[in-house]
Amino acid sequence: MLRTTLAVLLFAYLPGTLLFRVPLLDRARRAALAVEERLFWAVVLSAALTSVVAFALAAAGSYALERVLFVNGAVCLGIALAWRSSLRLGPEAPKPTRTVAMPLALLVLACGLFFRVPPAEYVNGGRDPAVYFNSGIQIAQRGSLIIDDPLVRSIPTEYRELFFRPERSSEAFDSVRFLGFFIVDQDAGAVVGQFPHLYPVWIAVAYDTLGLTGSRYVHGLWAVLGVLAVYFAGAFVLGRRAAFAGAGLLALHVAQVWFARYFCAEMIVQPLVFAGLLAHARAHAEGDRFFAPLAAILLGLTLFAHILGVLIVGAACLAALVGRADQQPVLASFAAPLAAITALAATYYPTVLAPYAPLWFLATLGPLHILLATGAALIAGAAFVVLRRAGAAAIVRAWLPRALVAALWLLAAYALFVREGGDRNPEIDPYWLRLYTDFYLLPAGLAAVLGGWVVVSGQRFWRASALFIVAATFAVFVFYNARITPDHFWAARRYVLIILPVSLLLVGAAAFTAAEWMDRRRLPALGKLTLGNARAAAGAILVAGLGWSYWQATNPILRHVEHAGMIPLVENLAARLAPDDLLLVGPRGTTEVQVTALPLAYIHNRQVLVLASAAPDTEILGDFLDWARGRYSRVLFIGGGGTDLLSKRTAARLVTSERRQIPHYERALNAYPNGVVDWQIDYGIYELVRGTGDDERFALDVGAGDDLYIHGMHPKDTEPSGVTYRWTRERAFVRLVGTLPDVATLTLRMRGRPAAAGEAEVRVFLNDRPLGTLAVAADRFEDYSVAVPPDLARQVADRPRASELRIETDPWVPLDVLGIPDARALGVMLDRVDVR
C-alpha cells in the first residue's frame, strides 16, 4: 500500500506541484490563482510529465514503471535542490474560499457516478476497447510500443498462411495477428496495436501500479479530470456559475458516465484539450508566459492519443493566428514547442503506426482538394500579414465572432431541416445533429446552445478564442460525418470529446453568463426585474430540467457493468491452458469465443493462434499439427461450431464444453437502447490428435461436444429431461468424417415447431445430393431416416476430409408467431445424427 501511494504521488501530483512553484516566468501571477485551480494544475502538470516520460520510454523500448518513477523523482529532487525554500508561494497565494465548493461538488458527483459500479470488463477482442486495453498490458509486460510476439516469429513460413494471410492491399503491414493488431514483420515477430498509444501507456502505468483492476479504472480517473478541466476552462471565460452548470450537466450525462467506464481514448483527450485550451487562453489573452509552453505540450499530446488531435492542434494554431486581431501576440514559446511535438507526431504515425496512419487519404486527393488546401494556406498567410494593420484587425475583431456564430446557426438549421441522405450511407450520414439533439442534448438544450453562442460572440470570444474555434471546427467536422455507426452510446464517442462539453458550457452561458448588452435592460412586464435576472431565473429552470432529463437517461446504466464476467471467463480459460499448450481458435464469424483469443495471448501470455479460414487446407493443417505436437505438450482447439478441421488425418477429443452469458447494452441503429441483453458464448475445447485413418460408424450427439462437426446452427440447448440439442437455421450443416463404405441409412433425431408455426418440412442433402424430404412432428423427438445410395456412401468413406450433410428448413420466428421475445429464425430441434 505504501509503494502504491508513493507511486501515485510521483506520477500524479508531486512533480506538478513543484513545477508550478518554480520561481520563474511570473510565478506571482499564477500563485494568485484560486487554491482549487492551483491543485488542478498540479495534477495536470504531473500527468503531462508522466505522459511524456512513459511514452518516450515505451517508444524507445525501455518502459518500466520504476524508470518512470525514477525520472519523475529526479525532476522533483532537482527542483527541490535548485530552489529549496523559494518554492513557497508566499502571501500572494490566496487561501481557500467558498469557490472551492464548486469543483469539490463536481469531484464528488463525478466519482459517485463514474465509480458506482466497477468499469467494463471489455478485455475481449472484437472492438476498439480491447485494442486499447490489450495494447496497454503488452506495454507493461514487454516495455515497448512494438509488441515482440515470439509465437508469430516461431511459425515456419510454410504454415503461416493458416493463421496470417498477407494483406495485399497494404504495404504497411504483412498480415493481422488479432483484430486491431497488425504484424509489421513476421520474421521478427513485430506486432503493433491499431491506435495511438498514449492511452495504452497510461493503462500500462495503472497495470504496474494496481494490476488489472487499476487498468480498468484509469480512464475513469481521467474522465473525472475531464469534468474538472471543463469547469476551470469554462470558469475562465464564462464565469463560475455557468461553468458549474455546464460541468455538472456533463458529469450527469449518460455519454460521459458511459465512457468513464468504457475503454476509449476520448476520456484521455478530453482533459488534455480543455486544460490545454485554458492554458492557451491564459498565455495569449492574459500574457502569462508560464502557460504558453504548457498549452503546446497538452495540445500536442492529443496527437499521440487520438487521430483527431490533428483538428485540435490545427484549430488552436488558427486561433493563435486570428488572436492578432485582438492584439494577442503569436507566442514563440507556444508555437516552437507545438511545432516540435507535431514533427514528432509526423514521424510517429508513418513509422510506428503505419498500419493505422490514414496515408491513403493523400492518394484520394483530387485537384479540388489540393486547390482548397492551397487556398487555405494562402488565406492564413495573408491573414498573418493583414492582421498587423490596425484597421483590418479592428474589422476582424468586431465581425469574426458574429460571422462564426451566424455560420453555426445557418449550418444547424441546414442540418436539422434541410439536409438529406448522402451517397456513402444515406440512412445515417445526414442525421448526426438530429441524433445528437434527440439522444444526447434534447431540443431545449440545442436552443440554449445556440443562444449561448450569441452570448459569447463579443469580447468573451477573444478571451478564449481557441476554445470556441476548436469547438466550431469539431462541430462542422463531426456533424458532417461522424464516421461511427450510431448504435447506442457508440454514437457519442466523437461528441463526448469536445462537442458535448462545450455544448453544456454554452447551456450554462445562456443561463448565467453576464451579457452587458442585454442584462441591464428592463421590460415593463418584468417590473423591477432586469432582463438579466429574468434570464438567470429561466436559465436555472432550464438547467434543472435538463439535469433531470440527463439523470433519467443515465440512471439505467448506473448498475450495469458492460461485459461483466468476461474477466473470470478468460481467467478460467487461461487456467486450463499450460504455458506449453498451443491453442487454435476458430476465425471471426464462426465462433463467439474467438474474442477470448486476444486476452489469452496478450494478458495471460498463452500460446494462441487464430485460424485465418474456417476451412483450412487439410494437408497443410495436418503437417502443421505434426510440427506443433513436437513443440507443445498439447494442441487444442476452442470454438463454437463452423470450423472445418477434421479429416482422416486429424481427430478431436473433447476436453470440456461450456456456455457463458455476458451482458452488454443493446445496440440499435438510429434508436435509443432499451436495456441490457445477454451475449451467449457457447464453446467447446478439444485436443487435436492424430486420426487413426480407420472408418467407423458415425454417431453425433448434437448439443454435446459437437462444435467441430456442425455449423449454421443456433447455440447448444438442453431439454428439462436432459436431452441436448440445437435449433437449426434455414440451412444447417453437419460434417461427416470416417464413415464406413457400406452404410445405407442416415438417421436424424429431430423435433419440429409449435402448431401455430406450421408443419416442419426438412430437406436433406449429402455432398449436395438430395436424400429426401421429411415431415417432422412437433410434440416429441423422433428418429427420421433416409437412404444413402451405395456410390455416395463409398464417396463419403473415401474422402480424406469431411463430407457435408445439409439440412434445409423454411424458418419460423417465435417473436412473430408466439409473441415471445425471441427474434431468431428457427428450423427444427436436432438431437442426433447417425450413419449406419
Side-chain angles (χ1 to χ4, degrees):
M1 186 63 182
L2 179 60
R3 176 189 176 277
T4 300
T5 302
L6 290 175
V8 171
L9 286 174
L10 271 176
F11 67 67
Y13 179 71
L14 285 177
T17 195
L18 292 174
L19 285 168
F20 190 85
R21 292 167 175 262
V22 170
L24 298 173
L25 300 175
D26 301 328
R27 185 182 69 175
R29 184 193 291 266
R30 62 182 179 275
L33 297 176
V35 63
E36 60 268 25
E37 188 171 347
R38 299 201 304 268
L39 290 172
F40 168 75
W41 284 119
V43 174
V44 169
L45 282 163
S46 298
L49 176 65
T50 302
S51 298
V52 171
V53 172
F55 193 98
L57 288 171
S62 301
Y63 165 82
L65 181 63
E66 291 75 14
R67 292 173 182 166
V68 176
L69 298 179
F70 175 81
V71 174
N72 284 14
V75 170
C76 293
L77 182 61
I79 294 173
L81 292 176
W83 282 284
R84 300 181 186 178
S85 61
S86 299
L87 294 172
R88 295 194 183 97
L89 293 180
E92 66 268 21
K95 303 297 182 183
T97 66
R98 62 183 182 180
T99 60
V100 172
M102 288 186 177
L104 182 60
L106 291 171
L107 180 64
V108 172
L109 176 64
C111 289
L113 293 176
F114 299 172
F115 305 131
R116 182 169 179 175
V117 295
E121 295 188 22
Y122 212 139
V123 301
N124 50 282
R127 283 183 183 256
D128 299 354
V131 179
Y132 286 117
F133 195 82
N134 286 271
S135 292
I137 303 302
Q138 280 297 288
I139 291 172
Q141 293 179 353
R142 304 184 189 273
S144 176
L145 303 181
I146 303 295
I147 299 167
D148 177 26
D149 195 324
L151 182 56
V152 171
R153 186 169 56 246
S154 70
I155 303 300
T157 304
E158 60 268 29
Y159 305 134
R160 288 178 178 173
E161 67 179 66
L162 293 171
F163 315 104
F164 317 128
R165 287 197 170 170
E167 180 61 45
R168 294 181 175 85
S169 63
S170 175
E171 297 179 358
F173 60 97
D174 291 340
S175 57
V176 175
R177 176 70 166 102
F178 301 107
L179 186 67
F181 288 87
F182 303 98
I183 302 174
V184 293
D185 188 336
Q186 290 189 18
D187 293 332
V191 179
V192 68
Q194 178 177 357
F195 299 118
H197 287 92
L198 186 59
Y199 175 34
V201 162
W202 272 98
I203 290 176
V205 170
Y207 180 80
D208 284 336
T209 305
L210 287 171
L212 206 61
T213 299
S215 298
R216 292 169 59 203
Y217 277 88
V218 67
H219 61 287
L221 295 172
W222 276 89
V224 172
L225 187 61
V227 170
L228 295 175
V230 169
Y231 167 77
F232 285 113
F236 177 81
V237 66
L238 304 175
R240 287 192 176 91
R241 286 194 303 166
F244 181 71
L249 290 174
L250 179 64
L252 281 172
H253 200 280
V254 62
Q256 185 79 4
V257 175
W258 178 268
F259 286 107
R261 304 192 314 214
Y262 187 93
F263 312 141
C264 70
E266 279 78 2
M267 287 298 98
I268 303 293
V269 178
Q270 189 185 77
L272 287 175
V273 68
F274 279 93
L277 293 173
L278 174 57
H280 184 284
R282 289 201 175 279
H284 290 81
E286 292 193 334
D288 193 324
R289 295 181 296 163
F290 176 82
F291 286 102
L294 178 58
I297 293 170
L298 293 173
L299 296 174
L301 281 173
T302 65
L303 294 168
F304 298 89
H306 202 292
I307 188 64
L308 290 181
V310 173
L311 283 181
I312 295 169
V313 170
C317 291
L318 176 62
L321 173 62
V322 301
R324 291 169 61 86
D326 193 46
Q327 298 181 344
Q328 297 176 13
V330 177
L331 300 174
S333 54
F334 170 76
L338 188 58
I341 296 171
T342 303
L344 289 174
T347 303
Y348 164 71
Y349 274 90
T351 54
V352 176
L353 275 189
Y356 174 68
L359 301 180
W360 54 266
F361 175 74
L362 298 177
T364 66
L365 294 179
L368 178 60
H369 300 99
I370 297 173
L371 181 62
L372 290 174
T374 304
L378 292 175
I379 291 172
F384 183 81
V385 175
V386 170
L387 289 177
R388 299 179 64 180
R389 300 178 180 177
I395 294 173
V396 172
R397 183 178 182 277
W399 288 101
L400 177 62
R402 300 173 189 176
L404 179 62
V405 172
L408 291 174
W409 272 67
L410 289 172
L411 287 172
Y414 167 74
L416 287 172
F417 306 116
V418 178
R419 190 179 182 196
E420 297 297 335
D423 294 334
R424 191 181 68 90
N425 199 335
E427 294 182 357
I428 299 174
D429 282 353
Y431 305 122
W432 292 112
L433 184 58
R434 302 175 206 176
L435 290 172
Y436 175 66
T437 301
D438 293 342
F439 293 169
Y440 303 108
L441 197 58
L442 304 183
L446 179 62
V449 169
L450 295 174
W453 275 109
V454 175
V455 171
V456 302
S457 62
Q459 180 54 36
R460 291 185 186 276
F461 176 89
W462 295 108
R463 183 166 170 79
S465 60
L467 174 64
F468 299 118
I469 289 176
V470 168
T473 301
F474 264 75
V476 172
F477 178 82
V478 170
F479 290 126
Y480 174 71
N481 188 348
R483 295 185 180 274
I484 292 183
T485 300
D487 53 351
H488 84 103
F489 304 106
W490 280 82
R493 282 186 62 191
R494 294 292 185 263
Y495 305 140
V496 78
L497 179 58
I498 290 173
I499 292 176
L500 179 63
V502 172
S503 295
L504 298 179
L505 284 177
L506 290 172
V507 170
F512 301 118
T513 297
E516 296 295 329
W517 53 272
M518 175 176 63
D519 289 351
R520 292 183 179 179
R521 296 184 180 183
R522 295 180 183 273
L523 297 176
L526 298 178
K528 295 182 179 180
L529 288 177
T530 65
L531 190 58
N533 291 333
R535 181 168 67 92
I541 295 172
L542 172 66
V543 170
L546 289 176
W548 176 253
S549 298
Y550 295 167
W551 165 255
Q552 292 295 102
T554 300
N555 190 49
I557 73 167
L558 292 181
R559 292 165 294 279
H560 172 67
V561 179
E562 187 78 345
H563 288 196
M566 183 58 72
I567 289 178
L569 169 60
V570 174
E571 289 176 341
N572 176 266
L573 290 175
R576 294 178 179 273
L577 301 174
D580 58 349
D581 286 339
L582 176 65
L583 179 67
L584 306 185
V585 183
R588 192 181 186 204
T590 63
T591 172
E592 300 291 347
V593 79
Q594 192 264 355
V595 299
T596 64
L598 173 59
L600 283 172
Y602 281 176
I603 295 178
H604 295 282
N605 291 315
R606 295 302 188 259
Q607 310 302 311
V608 181
L609 292 170
V610 177
L611 290 161
S613 169
D617 183 276
T618 302
E619 290 302 314
I620 297 177
L621 177 64
D623 291 344
F624 168 78
L625 293 175
D626 289 341
W627 171 85
R629 292 186 192 102
R631 295 176 59 93
Y632 299 96
S633 61
R634 295 184 299 173
V635 180
L636 303 171
F637 170 82
I638 186 170
T643 308
D644 185 5
L645 299 182
L646 301 180
S647 66
K648 289 189 174 182
R649 188 174 174 182
T650 303
R653 181 185 301 132
L654 179 65
V655 176
T656 186
S657 180
E658 296 182 3
R659 181 189 306 166
R660 297 290 182 94
Q661 288 186 331
I662 304 297
H664 69 83
Y665 230 80
E666 180 191 19
R667 299 184 177 95
L669 182 64
N670 290 344
Y672 207 77
N674 290 317
V676 179
V677 295
D678 284 330
W679 174 23
Q680 187 162 294
I681 300 181
D682 185 8
Y683 65 92
I685 301 177
Y686 301 83
E687 183 177 3
L688 299 180
V689 297
R690 289 185 176 89
T692 63
D694 297 329
D695 297 328
E696 56 188 24
R697 174 190 169 192
F698 181 88
L700 178 65
D701 183 3
V702 177
D706 61 352
D707 302 283
L708 282 169
Y709 294 89
I710 64 94
H711 67 105
M713 298 189 196
H714 289 286
K716 303 182 183 83
D717 213 333
T718 306
E719 285 267 276
S721 61
V723 175
T724 61
Y725 68 94
R726 290 180 188 258
W727 278 103
T728 66
R729 301 177 189 265
E730 182 177 8
R731 291 161 61 93
F733 302 88
V734 179
R735 298 185 181 93
L736 310 181
V737 62
T739 59
L740 294 169
D742 59 352
V743 298
T745 305
L746 186 150
T747 302
L748 304 175
R749 186 168 182 78
M750 298 181 290
R751 178 176 173 179
R753 73 271 299 258
E759 186 179 62
E761 187 177 86
V762 175
R763 299 174 292 279
V764 183
F765 302 81
L766 181 58
N767 285 350
D768 291 328
R769 294 240 326 244
L771 299 184
T773 300
L774 306 169
V776 181
D779 57 345
R780 63 186 180 277
F781 281 101
E782 289 187 3
D783 289 337
Y784 299 87
S785 298
V786 292
V788 180
D791 64 317
L792 182 57
R794 289 191 296 272
Q795 179 193 102
V796 171
D798 294 340
R799 190 172 178 175
R801 67 180 305 154
S803 293
E804 187 173 78
L805 170 67
R806 186 169 83 248
I807 302 167
E808 294 185 355
T809 318
D810 294 331
W812 68 286
V813 179
L815 179 64
D816 299 335
V817 176
L818 304 177
I820 61 177
D822 185 351
R824 295 179 299 169
L826 305 179
V828 294
M829 301 163 71
L830 180 63
D831 172 36
R832 291 187 62 85
V833 178
D834 287 281
V835 182
R836 298 190 180 94

